[in-house]
Amino acid sequence: MMNTKAFTLVPAVERELLQGDKERVSLECVECCGRNLYLGTSDCFVHHFLLEEKVLPAGTATFTATKQLHRHLGFKKPVNELRAASALSRLLVLCDSSITLVHMLSLEPVPSGARIKGATAFALNENPVSGDPFCVEVCIISVKRRTIQVFLVYEDRVQIVREVSTPEQPLAVAVDGHFLCLALTTQYIILNYSTGAAQDLFPYCGEERRPIVKRIGRQEFLLAGPGGLGMFATVAGISQRAPVHWSENVIGAAVCFPYVIALDDEFITVHSMLDQQQKQTLPFKEGHILQDFEGRVIVATSKGVYILVPLPLEKQIQDLLASRRVEEALVLAKGARRNIPKEKFQVMYRRVLQQAGFIQFAQLQFLEAKELFRSGQLDVRELISLCPFLLPASSSFTRSHPPLHEFADLSQLTQGDQEKVAKCKRFLMSYLNEVRSTEVANGCREDIDTALLKLYAEANHESLLDLLVTENFCLLPDSAAWLEKHKKYFALGLLYHYNHLDAAAVQLWVNIVNGDVHDATRSDLYEYIVDFLTYSLDPELVWKYADWALQKSQEVGVQVFTKRPLDSQQSSFNPADVIACLKKYPQALVKYLEHLVMDRRLQKEEYHTHLAVLYLDEVLQQKPGATGQGTEVTEMQAKLRHLLQKSDLYRVHILLDRIRGAGLPMERAILHGRLEQHEEALRILVHELGDFAAAEDYCLWRSEDRDPPYRRRLFHLLLGLCLRPGPSAHELAVAAVDLLNRHATEFDAAQVLQLLPGTWSVQLLRPFLMGAVRDSVHARRSAQVAVGLARSENLIYKYDKMKLKGSFVRLSDKKLCQMCQNPFCEPTFVRYPNGGLVHTHCAAGRHTNPSSPSPGTRT
């Protein structure tokens, strides 16, 4: 363990002041109360000194002892113990087994001569239970064997209050409240003198070494345990602290938080109560007294008195930090909480945490450094300032004074090792990203985000773009210059966009796509620009770059208009203006018209006709010759047919005129169908194309949402065309049979049988005939069911009518009509099912039921 300078040893009373000309006189005991220092000697004298402390400019303390007087106690034996009772202005002196009360200033015995006799040792109760402020409680080891006595000591009298027997002869005692901590011959115990309850602690051999029993705080004691251990024990008989390791030959012990100080024959050792480590060793021979008095530690030889002056805890902590002993410094700082006012402690402790964090950071212990920075609430700009130029020029930050570390920058911290510099910057990026959205960033968000942007750009980090597309506080002038310096032009565009400079952003991106500047951040930058324009709220910007986008790719560029959300800005992009813009770009124009017709479903004839004409022109350009059966249908031709079939808004005659002679029979048939020229349409499909399936589909398409007779007429037209004689009569007959067998329900069976040739067999038409018969039977049975239901309903009405006729109605001139509330003057009336009676003219003139009572609708 490295040595820590926690105390300095300062002389207080020189040998000459104490002995004078008496060589054989030795110092036996010491007491200190405030500035008053009392010494008991072997020749039965008590000496009184005044201590004066001075702090030199170098920060060290010196003590001057001024002798006030000395008094002989009248015995021939040495003074064994001294204890001051400042509340009574009395000094308790143990000499020759007697405790005498003397005045603290005059050292004269009290006039009453009050004293306690038969005492071998005593201790004051610093946690008294009597509650009387004009007395002190004293616990003595009596000359009586195995006896402890408790006294109340007043200014001029003493009073015994308790005598307690012990299992063995007590050798040393300390007291706290009702609890006595005793060193017996073979063990330490805790004894409650009020109840008599005893608690064994641990064994101890009093014959081998001097016992130590010392009260160190409320209900806690320090004991010299076996094996060179300083043991802590509470009044409950448990230890709440780990023991400290001291010398086997320890003579005395004292506590000056957070340290335990031990004295042996040659050394004074200082041990931490926080981590149980030995912190300091001071050579000190012939010492035999070590005591602490209200925070002042006094050590003495037989010839002189010295004071152990503690260095300020803050100085000790700083020394530990300077030695890179971070853990010890933190333990000591945390333990200083009880010695320092709360607010001052918090300020001190935060600073220690921050300093420790920088020490760990310099050692590349980043996880530990991060935790310390967080706990210490470090102003993160202290960390940023280690990297030159990261803080924006407008930042008002200045480093803490006194400084938290000794480094000018990262280069000095890493001694120029670029690999270590890179590691430090990676940690800084991670840490800034974590704290930028926390309370740590309050008041310096611009500095943090600007520094983070610079680090990302310098390291070509992927998070640069994430930073710029989310909420950030990057300062534009610094950030723009830095991004341009590192050729991050796409990121610079994002920065412009975040600062509402969309025109500058788009122009910069366009320059990248055009090759004017190089930035390979996005390979799909052109598509990104188109998407950006699509959702832009600036119509002028969109119109400005629409031509550029269309020139690069008509199919992609037109998305500026086709994918634009339908919102209040739609007036800035009305279809007429867009179509005018797209006249130079035929592919884009087709895409836009498809958007209007198919996606937005605008019901305007001009858009439908224009799209159909463009489709037709493209088809004619691709297929200048006739399109016969079996020729592959192009994608554009399929689109044309779909539009002709689904839309009913285009101008049919215009398209029909353009199609004539163009070799597009299918499209011509669809257009004839739109004009209700079904026979001509079916003729084209059957005789020109020979596409019977298309003819069937035509019948289904044109009869969709129409009544059954209309559909039946179309199928009969198709059947008639198939049954006409001609060169393809056989193929047409086969098609007719298939048509009848597949769509039996669509035909009038009786009319079909009249048209069919007599040579056709029943077996050939079996599916048709079965379907026709099934349909006929189904229709007949449905009609029978309907007739049966009607008859049942009629029977119900007849039954109701008979019931009504079977009951009598009492009518008099006092009966009132339920509609007009006038009396009946004639025997004619209308009766409702609920029994309500009304005039015949009231019933004829009212179509709604009376409200009270509500008559029915049937009479």
Side-chain angles (χ1 to χ4, degrees), residues 453 475-485 488 492 495-496:
L453 176 141
L475 294 177
L476 181 61
D478 278 79
S479 301
W482 193 272
L483 291 173
E484 193 167 357
K485 172 185 174 182
K488 298 295 179 183
L492 179 55
L495 179 67
Y496 284 147

Side-chain angles (χ1 to χ4, degrees), residues 590-603 607-608 611-612 615 636 638-647 650:
V590 169
K591 292 285 185 184
Y592 183 69
L593 288 172
E594 287 176 347
H595 167 68
L596 296 179
V597 173
M598 307 296 183
D599 299 334
R600 293 181 57 186
R601 301 184 183 277
L602 295 184
Q603 303 297 305
Y607 302 148
H608 289 248
L611 180 58
Y615 279 162
M636 189 59 68
K639 287 184 176 181
L640 174 60
R641 290 178 183 178
H642 181 267
L643 177 64
L644 296 179
Q645 285 184 329
K646 297 299 180 182
S647 172
Y650 56 84

Side-chain angles (χ1 to χ4, degrees), residues 368-388:
E368 294 82 353
K370 179 172 72 172
E371 189 58 36
L372 290 167
F373 289 149
R374 278 184 171 177
S375 302
Q377 301 174 17
L378 175 73
D379 184 337
V380 74
R381 292 175 294 182
E382 290 280 357
L383 202 54
I384 296 172
S385 67
L386 285 173
C387 301

Side-chain angles (χ1 to χ4, degrees), residues 649-796:
L649 295 177
Y650 56 84
R651 298 173 67 179
V652 180
H653 291 287
I654 291 178
L655 296 174
L656 196 56
D657 290 342
R658 301 188 65 164
I659 281 179
R660 293 185 198 280
L664 298 174
M666 180 65 76
E667 289 75 6
R668 190 154 43 90
I670 294 172
L671 292 172
H672 280 296
R674 282 293 178 193
L675 294 174
E676 296 292 325
Q677 298 171 359
H678 303 303
E679 188 170 357
E680 176 63 17
L682 290 170
R683 185 195 65 76
I684 293 171
L685 296 173
V686 173
H687 292 293
E688 290 189 25
L689 281 175
D691 191 342
F692 306 114
E696 289 183 31
D697 290 341
Y698 174 88
C699 293
L700 295 173
W701 164 57
R702 290 308 298 155
S703 62
E704 189 175 3
D705 298 329
R706 304 295 289 268
D707 55 11
Y710 187 90
R711 174 175 289 201
R712 182 169 294 174
R713 183 166 68 86
L714 289 180
F715 275 98
H716 275 276
L717 279 175
L718 177 56
L719 179 63
L721 288 172
C722 292
L723 294 177
R724 286 180 185 177
S728 304
H730 177 69
E731 294 179 5
L732 293 173
V734 173
V737 172
D738 290 341
L739 178 67
L740 288 170
N741 289 338
R742 278 198 298 270
H743 301 282
T745 59
E746 307 296 346
F747 292 94
D748 183 337
Q751 187 178 351
V752 169
L753 291 175
Q754 294 177 2
L755 294 175
L756 297 180
T759 57
W760 287 14
S761 67
V762 173
Q763 185 65 30
L764 183 67
L765 295 172
R766 184 167 175 258
F768 166 69
L769 294 173
M770 288 178 63
V773 170
R774 186 181 298 110
D775 185 58
S776 176
V777 172
H778 174 70
R780 181 170 64 85
R781 288 178 177 173
S782 296
Q784 288 175 344
V785 170
V787 169
L789 291 173
R791 285 176 177 170
S792 298
E793 187 178 12
N794 182 260
L795 186 60
I796 291 171

